[in-house]
Amino acid sequence: MNNVILVNLPFIVVALLLAVGFYTIGFKRNLIKVVIGIEILEGAVNLFLITLGYVKGAYAPIYTMAPKEAVNNMVLPTPQALTLTSIVIGVAVSALMLAFAVNIYEHYGTLDVTKVRRLKG
Amino acid sequence: MRKALGLFAFIGFTLFLLVAVMSLRPFGEPVHTEMDSYFIEHAQAEASANNVVTSIVFDYRGFDTLGEATVLFTAVAGVLMTLRRREVKA
Amino acid sequence: MTTLIIKTTTRYLTALILTFGAYIILHGHLTPGGGFQGGAVFASGLALLIVACESDVIRERFKKVPLSALESIGALGFLGTAALGFMGYTFFKNVIANSGFPLFGGRTPIGINPGYLNTGGTLSYMNIFVGTKVLAGLTSIILVFYLLLEVRKDE
């Protein structure tokens, strides 16, 4: 039981980060804290994608000056390529969310989630 | 009352996540597909690059990079349009 | 907003960061890195410049840099390089790899080798174009958020 937790430690960290992200989105009232919770969720998903492709005792998938025993013993390269795209899309979405937060603050005067409910104004 | 119910549901959700994470394959033994073996073997002959990950991102799966460049362009255009300032005519 | 520590550090660090970012973009097919990562490092160097200088200096210096045109050049160049494969093959085919083209068209030896810069094919061109696009986009976002602070102070 102890060995199972120690070997699968990255997956447990992903589950804890997901829980922290969902708690921040659901239970906090400041708008900036909600944005931070969404970014924590994105970090957890990117970590999960990368740790899916790890082969025990293998080397990085690069041929430039690699050691002699790394030719047939490489880590899976496809999840790393998909994670690159996911990180860039996360940056774009965060920038847009923060721009909207600045506009909401100028229009309503407050950043409280329970007070920005009026649809006309 | 509502907050206690919400906290209870959140703790149940966390326990569900932890149990679900334990039932995956152990860390370090993934399923070796044919696609990854083909990419590692033929990346130097066909894409002429030492870096297998870059040859996947720009040559074998170039459409995903095209979509991502479009998303980045649209996001920058959206931010620049939202934060415009009009000159105050005094 | 700027202090003495930031000004002294920026004087020595900015050239190093910008050179490091350009190195990551250019050697994308040999070492870990590529277009997106190098563009982000370059934009971080420019963000350090924006933080460390006075606001009117930033305003007049950045009027001469055509950031929107750089981003459009990056996007159109990426599409044009991808459309080179239409001459006989499919859409994204690497037509310059392992041929005799003098710029980025050399032959890669199979197996473990010390990397040669002349290889890469259309991969290297795409790295340069995407790197330009990412650095122009991220610098525009940081500049707009910085100039927002100055409008509030005037009233």
Side-chain angles (χ1 to χ4, degrees):
Chain A
M1 163 81 171
N2 215 10
N3 208 17
V4 167
I5 293 185
L6 207 60
V7 163
N8 279 352
L9 196 59
F11 291 144
I12 295 184
V13 167
V14 164
L16 287 179
L17 274 176
L18 276 176
V20 166
F22 274 118
Y23 176 78
T24 316
I25 290 181
F27 286 92
K28 294 291 179 186
R29 294 173 72 180
N30 199 354
L31 203 56
I32 304 287
K33 292 188 182 174
V34 169
V35 170
I36 290 180
I38 295 183
E39 293 199 26
I40 292 180
L41 269 184
E42 274 167 42
V45 166
N46 291 335
L47 179 67
F48 186 55
L49 263 180
I50 289 187
T51 57
L52 273 181
Y54 180 65
V55 176
K56 202 164 161 185
Y59 293 86
I62 293 177
Y63 280 106
T64 308
M65 313 235 277
K68 255 295 175 280
E69 56 265 357
V71 175
N72 276 334
N73 198 13
M74 289 189 170
V75 172
L76 308 185
T78 309
Q80 303 183 13
L82 301 178
T83 307
L84 254 172
T85 306
S86 172
I87 290 179
V88 170
I89 292 183
V91 164
V93 167
S94 297
L96 209 55
M97 277 195 296
L98 285 175
F100 286 160
V102 166
N103 256 1
I104 285 182
Y105 179 68
E106 280 182 359
H107 195 225
Y108 285 97
T110 172
L111 271 180
D112 206 345
V113 177
T114 58
K115 292 196 175 56
V116 289
R117 279 177 184 270
R118 301 170 303 188
L119 266 183
K120 80 180 177 82
Chain B
M1 168 62 189
R2 268 176 97 170
K3 203 148 185 199
L5 202 59
L7 273 174
F8 192 60
F10 170 71
I11 291 181
F13 178 66
T14 309
L15 285 175
F16 161 71
L17 273 181
L18 282 172
V19 165
V21 137
M22 284 306 202
S23 70
L24 293 171
R25 291 178 69 99
F27 174 63
E29 301 161 21
V31 181
H32 283 263
T33 57
E34 304 178 0
M35 187 174 70
D36 288 312
S37 313
Y38 183 86
F39 283 160
I40 292 179
E41 212 173 330
H42 292 93
Q44 277 185 319
E46 294 181 9
S48 165
N50 275 349
N51 193 354
V52 183
V53 177
T54 303
S55 84
I56 289 183
V57 160
F58 282 112
D59 188 8
Y60 286 113
R61 286 216 174 200
F63 263 121
D64 302 341
T65 310
L66 187 65
E68 169 193 3
T70 308
V71 165
L72 195 61
F73 187 77
T74 311
V76 167
V79 166
L80 289 185
M81 230 167 45
T82 309
L83 293 177
R84 251 188 324 188
R85 296 281 159 238
R86 287 185 214 89
E87 300 293 325
V88 176
K89 297 204 188 337
Chain C
M1 208 159 111
T2 77
T3 66
L4 187 60
I5 298 182
I6 297 182
K7 280 195 201 154
T8 320
T9 316
T10 311
R11 208 173 293 156
Y12 297 115
L13 266 186
T14 307
L16 290 177
I17 294 182
L18 296 184
T19 314
F20 185 50
Y23 164 79
I24 292 183
I25 293 181
L26 273 180
H27 290 243
H29 53 285
L30 299 174
T31 55
F36 295 104
Q37 292 94 317
V41 171
F42 206 97
S44 295
L46 288 180
L48 183 63
L49 266 183
I50 287 178
V51 164
C53 302
E54 312 288 332
S55 89
D56 38 1
V57 171
I58 291 290
R59 220 185 269 265
E60 76 165 85
R61 284 294 173 92
F62 265 98
K63 270 201 207 311
K64 291 186 265 183
V65 178
L67 282 175
S68 308
L70 272 178
E71 188 173 3
S72 308
I73 286 178
L76 286 176
F78 181 70
L79 272 177
T81 313
L84 267 184
F86 268 139
M87 309 188 295
Y89 304 99
T90 65
F91 183 34
F92 252 99
K93 179 129 178 81
N94 200 347
V95 282
I96 311 183
N98 287 332
S99 72
F101 203 63
L103 196 68
F104 293 128
R107 209 167 286 271
T108 319
I110 309 272
I112 299 180
N113 57 340
Y116 298 106
L117 193 55
N118 204 10
T119 61
T122 61
L123 221 54
S124 302
Y125 291 104
M126 281 189 196
N127 267 334
I128 296 177
F129 283 127
V130 167
T132 308
K133 173 184 211 290
V134 168
L135 82 90
L138 290 184
T139 306
S140 304
I141 289 183
I142 294 181
L143 201 61
V144 157
F145 270 111
Y146 178 75
L147 291 178
L148 202 58
L149 290 175
E150 308 305 321
V151 177
R152 198 75 46 73
K153 247 192 276 188
D154 291 342
E155 308 175 29

